[in-house]
Each structure stands twice: as C-alpha cells, then as structure tokens.
Amino acid sequence: MSDLDVVNLFIIAGGTLAIPILAFVASFLLWPSALIKVYYWYWRRTLGLQVRYADCGGYRFCYSYRGKPGMRPSILMLHGFSTHKDTWLTVVKYLPKHLHLVSVDMPGHEGTTRTNTEDYSIQGQVRRIHQFVETIRLNRKPFHLVGTSMGGNVAGVYAACYPSEICSMTLICPDGQSLYVRDLEHSNYTLNIPLIPTTPEEMEDMFRLCSHVRFKIPQQILQGLVDVREPHNTFYQEVFMEIVGEKSRYALQDHLHLITAPLQVIWGKQDQVVDVSGATVIAEVLPGCRVDLLENCGHSVVMERPCRTAKLILEFIVLQQDARGGTKKSS
C-alpha cells in the first residue's frame, strides 16, 4: 500500500467518523428538541423499559414498564404537572430489575389521549388512572402506588377511593392541601404561570423554583425543552386552572382520613413550590405514616435525589411486605 493510499484511508475513516459527530452537533444546535426525545428513547432502552399502549373505550393510555409481577408488589408511578412518564427514569435506574414497574403518562399528557371534554380535575384524573389500572389488570393483586406533586395528589385520592387495590404507597411532595403552591396562589394565573415557561430564561427560572440543586443546563437544551413544551402550553394552563380550582385544590387533604394503606411521605426541605409543612399536615391526620425529609432538596425530589428516593421507596415496600408476612404467620 502506497503512502497516498494510507492518507486516503485516513481521510475516508476521518470523514466517516465526522458524519455522526457533525450530525450530533447540528442536532444540538439546530434541533435540540429532537435530541431530547432521542435522549429519552436511549435512556429507556438502556434501562430495559418498554413503551406500550392500553386502549379502553376509545381512550388510549401510553405507559412504560419493566419486569413482570413477582414476589414483590408491582409499582405504579404517577408523574407531576406538565411532565411525562420519563420523569421516573432517574429513579428507575436505582431500582432492582426484577421489580415490576409501570409508569403511565397522566391524562392528556405526552402519549395519553387528550380531549377538549376531559375532566382534568384531581377526581377526574383518579377515575382515568383507575380505568388504566383495570385495563392492564394491574389490580389483580394489591400494588404499591407512587406519586409526585400533582401525581401525589392523584395517588392519595386514588388510595382513598380504591383502598383494596393498594398495599402501600409513597407520596413525594404532593399538592392538594390548604397550603398548596407557595407564592403562586397570590399571583394572576392567567398572566404568568411560573410552571409554564415560554422562553429559555423562564425555563431556567422554573428549574430554580423547582430545584434546590443548581443544574447547569446549556442554552440550547433550555430552548429545546421550551420547544417540546410550547405546543402543549394551552393544555397545561387548562390543567393548572383545574388543579388550583375549588374542586381539586384541597382534594388530598379532604381524602387523607380515608387512606388505609401504609403511607410513606418524602419531601425536600427546601421545596419552594409546595411547602414542606405539608408533611406535618399529613402526619397529623395519619400519625402512623413514615415521613422522610431530605436535606438540601427542593420540589424536584425525583431529579435531585433519585438514588436516595429509590432506596427509601424500596426499603418501605420491603418493610411493609415483611410486616404483612409476620402478621399472617402470627395469625
């Protein structure tokens, strides 16, 4: 092989490597929203999660799952306002692969059906989630229910309405109490909702509001996140108005006394969205519940403390299952 052939070989090899690199750079700079979607797809694939759809009476739920029902109870995870099932990827990473995990897009969010006539109040969402549970037959035996923020509100009311289906549950910074959203209840919702950003700057402000840990996020990614959310902002505003309205605002607080399943509450001490005193409110109504307050952590517990969150949830599930086993043996 001549020196010229060797040079040509290096040029061809270099060009071949440069193409995907240039494509990545172009995507990052020009289509950051597409890159974000690819990122979630890759992460789901890496963690062994599969995406499926469940249809019921013309309504379609989108969900991801991993594992099969086994000795431990299945875990159903409900995300918060204006997010999606992939919110839980950070926690799933630290949960054992043999557990049966299900994460569903909440009504109207991401891949789940959105209609103009849908009831997006907390009670309306509870009915839809129950429909989903029945469709995939998750309630063939009691399961562990986890919810964060709005999803925590829905989870709590769900447990109160369908107690026989829940063996234990975890609420993470749930809304739906008299203290509700800090600093937002005195603002004009129709003019500016901090949880519905429309610019990269507002997106950065939302991260500061929701997270005590400061993440350095490139401007292109912030823009990509805005681009992904922007087509849904009218819907998010509709849902927000529903969950802060009289019908839903105190939904969790009004149903707490009906919860019979063992309850775990996880809350970031520096939560700026829903005040951490909500944990005390819950404990006063349900004194047997377990409360874990996380230092140097805000509202986005799942994002800020994923490993700690996964460990606490798993410990609680095992503890409750062992307690039930001991009760059966003694009887």
Side-chain angles (χ1 to χ4, degrees):
M1 183 182 291
S2 67
D3 291 344
L4 183 59
D5 290 334
V6 172
V7 171
N8 287 336
L9 188 62
F10 273 109
I11 291 173
I12 293 171
T16 303
L17 289 172
I19 290 173
I21 294 173
L22 288 172
F24 176 82
V25 172
S27 297
F28 181 74
L29 296 175
L30 301 177
W31 305 290
S33 59
L35 191 63
I36 290 169
K37 292 180 180 179
V38 171
Y39 169 76
Y40 283 128
W41 170 84
Y42 176 78
W43 203 359
R44 284 196 303 269
R45 187 179 179 86
T46 301
L47 294 175
L49 286 160
Q50 298 184 57
V51 175
R52 291 289 185 271
Y53 294 90
D55 296 295
C56 182
Y59 195 89
R60 168 169 281 196
F61 297 94
C62 180
Y63 67 102
S64 60
Y65 79 96
R66 187 176 76 182
K68 297 180 180 179
M71 294 294 292
R72 299 294 183 194
S74 299
I75 302 176
L76 174 61
M77 298 175 284
L78 307 181
H79 64 75
F81 168 74
S82 79
T83 60
H84 44 74
K85 60 186 176 298
D86 293 329
T87 295
W88 296 104
L89 291 174
T90 51
V91 173
V92 170
K93 178 182 177 181
Y94 296 102
L95 289 172
K97 290 190 176 180
H98 66 268
L99 288 178
H100 181 221
L101 309 175
V102 179
S103 175
V104 63
D105 284 325
M106 297 295 281
H109 289 69
E110 195 74 6
T112 292
T113 297
R114 179 184 304 174
T115 67
N116 294 329
T117 58
E118 184 72 7
D119 178 6
Y120 292 109
S121 68
I122 296 302
Q123 291 85 347
Q125 294 192 57
V126 167
R127 286 191 289 272
R128 279 299 188 192
I129 294 301
H130 185 244
Q131 184 182 37
F132 167 72
V133 166
E134 290 194 315
T135 301
I136 68 169
R137 301 181 67 193
L138 188 64
N139 54 355
R140 281 179 292 182
K141 66 177 186 177
F143 58 90
H144 182 85
L145 183 58
V146 184
T148 182
S149 195
M150 180 190 77
N153 193 348
V154 173
V157 176
Y158 188 103
C161 294
Y162 306 101
S164 64
E165 297 185 1
I166 310 299
C167 63
S168 53
M169 63 183 305
T170 302
L171 302 183
I172 304 173
C173 305
D175 62 45
Q177 301 175 71
S178 58
L179 42 94
Y180 198 64
V181 183
R182 292 175 56 178
D183 303 327
L184 300 184
E185 56 186 326
H186 302 297
S187 64
N188 187 335
Y189 299 132
T190 60
L191 293 178
N192 180 39
I193 302 174
L195 299 178
I196 307 179
T198 57
T199 67
E201 292 73 26
E202 289 180 357
M203 178 64 71
E204 195 167 24
D205 289 341
M206 186 188 77
F207 277 119
R208 289 198 189 98
L209 175 68
C210 295
S211 174
H212 179 72
V213 177
R214 294 293 176 252
F215 298 95
K216 292 184 178 179
I217 304 174
Q219 189 73 9
Q220 288 86 350
I221 296 299
L222 291 171
Q223 182 62 60
L225 291 169
V226 170
D227 293 343
V228 168
R229 293 168 60 97
E230 195 277 331
H232 311 289
N233 281 350
T234 300
F235 164 72
Y236 292 152
Q237 186 168 7
E238 177 188 346
V239 174
F240 186 85
M241 297 303 289
E242 280 280 3
I243 62 178
V244 300
E246 289 301 318
K247 188 177 179 181
S248 298
R249 189 166 187 171
Y250 309 126
L252 177 59
Q253 186 166 310
D254 292 343
H255 286 80
L256 280 177
H257 68 286
L258 298 173
I259 295 176
T260 57
L263 170 62
Q264 173 186 46
V265 177
I266 302 175
W267 219 300
K269 282 191 174 182
Q270 284 72 39
D271 193 333
Q272 297 183 77
V273 179
V274 185
D275 197 277
V276 67
S277 61
T280 303
V281 173
I282 294 174
E284 287 175 350
V285 178
L286 300 170
C289 76
R290 170 175 168 172
V291 176
D292 292 292
L293 303 182
L294 306 187
E295 295 282 357
N296 301 314
C297 184
H299 187 67
S300 300
V301 171
V302 172
M303 183 173 67
E304 297 178 72
R305 295 286 186 273
C307 182
R308 180 65 175 154
T309 301
K311 183 179 179 181
L312 288 171
I313 292 173
L314 186 59
E315 285 178 353
F316 186 70
I317 290 174
V318 172
L319 181 67
Q320 297 307 317
Q321 192 172 30
D322 289 348
R324 287 192 297 274
T327 301
K328 288 179 181 178
K329 287 179 182 179
S330 63
S331 60

